[in-house]
């Protein structure tokens, strides 16, 4: 039995979905000077997974969030679910709660109202 194989840190658990050109963009964006995957929020190297910001499981639905964003010119017109700008490395726990819609990168209405009220002081 041989020892553990060395894997490209970006391709672990995601290579069959993410094209190699997009994997390279992820390496440059998140790991320019050091090997290994880090959570983009905590900088932890423990249990890091690649997370789709816009879910990939709706890729075949013609009226997805991604299509809406493209139609309204909010993302590049050639963006796909596997584009590097739709993928971030997250700790497995953060990834799980993100997929459960328990937090988001976009502020909620309450957060926006609080921030606006703070700025108006």
């Amino acid at each position: 039995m041989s020892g553990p194989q060395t894997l490209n840190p970006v391709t672990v658990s995601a290579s069959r979905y993410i094209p190699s050109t997009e994997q390279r963009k992820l390496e440059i964006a998140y790991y320019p000077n050091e090997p290994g995957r880090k959570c983009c929020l905590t900088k932890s190297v423990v249990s890091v997974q690649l997370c789709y910001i816009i879910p990939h499981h709706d890729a075949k639905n013609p009226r997805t969030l991604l299509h809406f964003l493209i139609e309204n010119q909010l993302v590049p017109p050639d963006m796909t679910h596997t584009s590097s700008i739709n993928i971030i490395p997250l700790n497995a726990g953060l990834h799980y709660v993100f997929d459960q819609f328990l937090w988001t990168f976009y502020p909620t209405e309450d957060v926006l109202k609080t921030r606006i009220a703070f700025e108006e002081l």
Side-chain angles (χ1 to χ4, degrees):
M1 191 173 220
S2 63
Q5 70 184 87
T6 303
L7 297 174
N8 178 326
V10 175
T11 61
V12 176
S13 81
S15 62
R16 69 180 202 190
Y17 301 113
I18 303 170
S20 60
T21 54
E22 298 302 315
Q23 290 177 31
R24 183 68 188 131
K25 290 176 187 176
L26 287 168
E27 290 172 2
I28 292 168
Y30 291 108
Y31 327 109
N33 300 314
E34 52 196 67
R37 196 185 300 174
K38 288 184 181 180
C39 174
C40 68
L41 298 177
T42 66
K43 302 300 182 203
S44 169
V45 296
V46 178
S47 300
V48 177
Q49 301 173 346
L50 295 177
C51 173
Y52 294 96
I53 298 169
I54 300 169
H56 66 89
H57 59 269
D58 66 354
K60 294 182 181 171
N61 180 346
R63 293 296 308 156
T64 64
L65 174 58
L66 178 59
H67 291 97
F68 172 81
L69 295 172
I70 291 171
E71 287 171 3
N72 289 283
Q73 300 178 353
L74 298 171
V75 297
D78 59 344
M79 182 175 165
T80 67
H81 285 86
T82 58
S83 294
S84 60
I85 61 173
N86 188 44
I87 301 168
I88 56 169
L90 284 178
N91 166 277
L94 290 172
H95 185 177
Y96 175 78
V97 294
F98 180 81
D99 283 353
Q100 301 302 310
F101 303 104
L102 298 176
W103 70 275
T104 181
F105 288 101
Y106 304 101
T108 63
E109 184 177 347
D110 290 339
V111 170
L112 285 172
K113 287 179 180 178
T114 301
R115 182 67 185 178
I116 291 167
F118 177 79
E119 291 295 327
E120 290 177 346
L121 292 177

